[in-house]
Amino acid sequence: MANKDQAEGKAKDIGGKLKEEVGDAAGNDDLKHEGQADQAEGKVQKGVGDAEGKLSD
């Protein structure tokens, strides 16, 4: 079962991808870069959750 960090990280990653695509389509580089940053943050948070899950097994 996914822990809180895994779920939140995945959600940030997906939201960031959507934000990046909207920024790209709209020609808004700030929004595009913000989406990329959100994706990176989400991947890190998911990685922390994955590591916590392995430690608790």
Side-chain angles (χ1 to χ4, degrees):
M1 185 165 148
N3 65 34
K4 182 180 175 189
D5 282 323
Q6 288 171 318
E8 287 180 2
K10 184 69 175 173
K12 282 181 189 174
D13 186 20
I14 292 169
K17 183 65 177 168
L18 290 172
K19 197 181 285 188
E20 177 186 11
E21 290 177 6
V22 169
D24 192 35
N28 184 333
D29 286 339
D30 289 338
L31 186 61
K32 182 178 174 180
H33 294 295
E34 187 178 321
Q36 290 169 339
D38 289 351
Q39 287 177 70
E41 182 181 344
K43 286 179 175 133
V44 168
Q45 186 173 5
K46 184 178 179 304
V48 167
D50 291 345
E52 288 174 349
K54 288 179 183 175
L55 289 174
S56 66
D57 288 344

